[in-house]
Structures are given as C-alpha cells and as structure tokens.
C-alpha cells in the first residue's frame, strides 16, 4: 500500500491538539442542545431533569426531560434550549417513583458557537501525551508516526487480513504524510482487518490505559482500537469501535455481557475523535472503562462505558492495535500507552432499598 493517495484525504484527519470545534445552532437568540444519557435502574425512575448554567458547578435553570423511550442500547435523549451566545455547563439527575432525587451526573460543557461574540471556547482535551515520535516501539510505547516515510510500514507492527484472519498482510496499513504530519492509516475496504504492535511486546501488557485519536472517512466504514489483544497469534481482544453507521461501543472476540457498553457517540465522516480506554485484570473479572469525545473538545470527566467482564473466555493481558472495516479511509494517531495508576471503579448499581443512582450523561450530542 502506498501513502500518496492519503494526501488527497488530509482533510479527513484533524491533528491532535487542534482548537475546539465550533458546534451549535445558528439561531439568533437561542440554540438547542441535545443530551444523551443512560440509567442503571430505569424502573426506579419517574422522570429525568437537566440542570444547566453558564459556569461550572452553578446551575440556575432546570428542565423537565420526562422519561423518553430509550433506544435499543438503553440510551435516552432529550433537549434543552439555551442562550445562543452562552457557554453552557449541564448535568442530569433522576427523580424516583417516590419523589427521591438522585445525585447529579458528571458535568458536561458546550462552548458558545463560533462567532457568537461571548463564548470562551472549550478546553483542548486532546488525547494526552503527544508521544515520542520514534514510531519504532518501546517498552511503554507512544506513537505519533512522525519521521516515517509516507507509505512505509511501522516497525514492530503486524497487519493481518480480512475477516479476523491471523495471517500477516503488511500491505493493509501504513504511514500517510499529510498536511498535518504523519498518521497511521488504511484505505482498504476489506472487512475486519487489523494491525497490532507486536515487537517488542508492549510493557505493560496488563492493567494499562491507552489514549489516542482516530478519524473515519465514510459512514459506511467502521473504525476502532483494540486492547488486551492476542493478535497475531490468537483471535482475542476488547475493541472500542464504531461499526458502519453505528456508535462507539465496547465489544470483544468472546461473549461479552456489559450493561454500559455503548458510549452513545456516533462519529461523523471527516470528524476526528479522541479516545481513552483502560483495562484492569482482577481476580475474577476484567474491568474496562472507556470514553470518546470530539477531538479538541472537552474530555468527559467520567467514562461513558463501564464494564465488568466475568467470562471464562476473557483475555487477561495483551497488546494494542487498530481495527477497520468497510468503505472509506481510516486514520489513527498519537497512541499513548501507560501503566494503569490506581483501580477502576465498579459499574454503577441500584437496588430498590438503596439510594437512587444518578444518570450517566454521555455527552452533549455534536451538532453537525
């Protein structure tokens, strides 16, 4: 595979560290913001409420969101109307069937649209460390793919073929030199292809956090990253990815049961997204946290995906890499692997005799 045609697609990838994207309606006096959230015990809830204000932690307005019908992934959606020139901080809370009120969800932020005159802009969330730039691998590798020739393969990475094949095919992925620098990419439309960091084996290979960025060229394609992967010797891993026309979800190459596996976040063609996925091996389970957000926007303060995997088939360690399927170009950049510091929190639970759990506010849905 050559990287020359990648230069024609440089608009598909927005480099990590770009300023926040201008999102929101253009209505003169007010704009609508769409919220998505989940709840671990929907039967205990009679309605949801959104609280918002123009400074962090200060919410002067409350909106009754009712109890919308969730989608097949258990995600609720509702909207609030805010001042067109206002930066907005939002939380969601649940009101129980007996009138009890839950704690607030994690706060989410939306900056005023560009050109509105008073917005301060979002924080530049990015994806953590910019990486070492070596591209050649290390015991705790970071990759920003700079300094590698366009069209070259990445030293130490192994590409494998379609349909979850373990057979090597190093023509599938490579380095693209764009106007914004080097990126890892593929233009292949084959289904379920992968590339993984294989040599030297990453250390740690257990209990780690992977951060980075990715961009998808077509809604008919799929993109993702893998952790705890056995490739290229075993078809086993966890994947944070978006299937064609889908949201970013956590899946695995074994039977995975997880109540909060869907981020509710749908990538837009040409948009760029930061991700964070952490995995911890415990005595009787793996615990996974993950989140995804618009590159350059505010990083969610809490994970959108929280999962305990108790399957007997679960992997307990492994490398990391990329997954792609279907139409369009796919880009990745600034992989950063770090040992996990501290322990991951358990998935939220709620019982009839305990306090009402707060909702999980996934995000304010990007307005395209």
């Amino acid at each position: 595979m050559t990287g020359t045609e990648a230069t024609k697609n440089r608009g598909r990838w927005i480099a990590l560290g770009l300023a926040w994207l201008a999102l929101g309606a253009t209505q003169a006096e007010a704009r609508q913001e769409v919220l998505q959230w989940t709840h671990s015990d929907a039967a205990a809830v009679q309605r949801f409420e959104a609280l918002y204000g123009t400074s962090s932690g200060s919410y002067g307005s409350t909106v009754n969101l009712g109890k919308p019908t969730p989608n097949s992934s258990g995600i609720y959606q509702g909207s609030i109307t805010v001042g067109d020139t206002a930066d907005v901080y939002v939380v969601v809370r649940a009101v129980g069937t007996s009138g009890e009120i839950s704690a607030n969800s994690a706060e989410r932020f939306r900056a005023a649209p560009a050109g509105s005159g008073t917005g301060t802009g979002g924080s530049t969330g990015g994806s953590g460390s910019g990486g070492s730039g070596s591209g050649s691998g290390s015991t705790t590798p970071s990759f920003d793919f700079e300094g590698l020739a366009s069209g070259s393969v990445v030293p130490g990475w192994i590409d494998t073929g379609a349909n979850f094949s373990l057979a090597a095919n190093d023509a599938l992925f490579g380095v693209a030199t764009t106007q914004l620098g080097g990126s890892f990419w593929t233009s292949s439309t084959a289904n379920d292809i992968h590339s993984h960091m294989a040599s030297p084996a990453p250390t740690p290979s257990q209990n780690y956090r992977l951060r980075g960025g990715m961009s998808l060229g077509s809604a008919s394609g799929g993109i993702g990253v893998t952790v705890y992967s056995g490739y290229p010797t075993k078809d086993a891993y966890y994947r944070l990815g978006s299937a064609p026309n889908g949201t970013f979800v956590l899946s695995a190459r074994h039977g995975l049961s997880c109540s909060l596996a869907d981020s509710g976040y749908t990538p837009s063609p040409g948009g760029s997204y930061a991700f964070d996925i952490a995995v911890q091996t415990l005595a009787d389970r793996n615990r996974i946290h993950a989140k995804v957000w618009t590159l350059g926007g505010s990083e969610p303060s809490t994970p959108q995906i929280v999962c305990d995997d108790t399957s007997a088939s679960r992997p307990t360690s492994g490398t990391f890499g990329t997954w792609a399927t279907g139409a369009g170009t796919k880009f990745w950049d600034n992989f950063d692997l770090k040992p996990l510091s501290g322990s991951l929190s358990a998935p939220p639970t709620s019982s009839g005799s305990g306090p009402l759990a707060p909702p999980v506010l996934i995000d304010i849905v990007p307005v395209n």
Side-chain angles (χ1 to χ4, degrees):
M1 178 190 69
T2 66
T4 56
E5 50 186 314
T7 59
K8 302 176 183 178
N9 297 282
R10 56 181 174 264
R12 298 293 189 188
W13 174 252
I14 302 175
L16 297 178
L18 282 183
W20 65 283
L21 298 180
L23 301 173
T26 57
Q27 186 178 352
E29 301 298 330
R31 72 182 192 270
Q32 189 176 72
E33 298 287 8
V34 179
L35 313 178
Q36 288 186 334
W37 68 94
T38 60
H39 197 274
S40 59
D41 190 7
V45 177
Q46 64 163 284
R47 71 176 187 276
F48 297 97
E49 295 177 339
L51 292 78
Y52 65 92
T54 56
S55 60
S56 181
S58 179
Y59 315 116
S61 300
T62 302
V63 175
N64 184 350
L65 298 171
K67 190 176 180 181
T69 301
N71 67 15
S72 59
S73 298
I75 297 170
Y76 296 91
Q77 182 167 296
S79 63
I80 59 175
T81 300
V82 302
D84 192 53
T85 60
D87 291 347
V88 179
Y89 298 80
V90 185
V91 295
V92 175
R93 67 187 182 189
V95 178
T97 53
S98 300
E100 67 274 29
I101 299 175
S102 77
N104 293 339
S105 70
E107 182 182 87
R108 297 288 180 255
F109 169 73
R110 175 71 79 214
S116 65
T118 61
T120 61
S123 64
T124 52
S127 71
S129 164
S132 64
S134 67
S136 60
S138 65
T139 55
T140 54
S142 296
F143 293 93
D144 61 12
F145 306 102
E146 300 297 332
L148 296 173
S150 180
S152 65
V153 298
V154 179
W157 285 58
I158 296 179
D159 306 349
T160 49
N163 301 314
F164 303 99
S165 173
L166 297 176
N169 181 352
D170 276 335
L172 294 174
F173 295 81
V175 176
T177 301
T178 75
Q179 189 178 41
L180 298 168
S183 294
F184 195 55
W185 86 303
T186 183
S187 61
S188 173
T189 60
N191 292 327
D192 300 309
I193 59 175
H194 301 83
S195 186
H196 285 90
M197 194 271 186
S199 178
T203 301
S205 61
Q206 183 184 75
N207 299 340
Y208 60 74
R209 180 182 302 276
L210 180 68
R211 292 168 66 90
M214 52 185 160
S215 180
L216 179 67
S218 170
S220 298
I223 191 170
V225 293
T226 63
V227 293
Y228 270 35
S229 175
Y231 276 65
T233 59
K234 184 179 181 181
D235 179 18
Y237 61 60
Y238 295 107
R239 181 175 77 221
L240 174 64
S242 170
N245 299 297
T247 56
F248 282 106
V249 301
L250 180 72
S251 59
R253 293 298 292 160
H254 63 272
L256 177 66
S257 177
C258 179
S259 60
L260 291 175
D262 193 329
S263 74
Y265 209 98
T266 304
S268 299
S272 294
Y273 302 92
F275 68 85
D276 180 302
I277 181 168
V279 191
Q280 181 181 14
T281 297
L282 301 172
D284 61 344
R285 68 196 61 208
N286 289 341
R287 183 159 292 160
I288 307 104
H289 284 191
K291 52 187 172 180
V292 61
W293 66 99
T294 300
L295 199 62
S298 296
E299 178 177 348
S301 59
T302 57
Q304 299 145 341
I305 294 170
V306 180
C307 183
D308 272 6
D309 180 16
T310 58
S311 169
S313 302
R314 67 188 184 277
T316 56
S317 64
T319 187
F320 67 95
T322 63
W323 164 82
T325 195
T329 53
K330 300 94 179 172
F331 289 83
W332 300 261
D333 211 343
N334 283 36
F335 285 107
D336 186 51
L337 183 76
K338 290 288 193 299
L340 189 63
S341 59
S343 298
L344 301 178
S345 59
T349 59
S350 179
S351 65
S353 59
L356 183 63
V360 176
L361 179 55
I362 295 169
D363 207 348
I364 303 175
V365 180
V367 179
N368 300 311

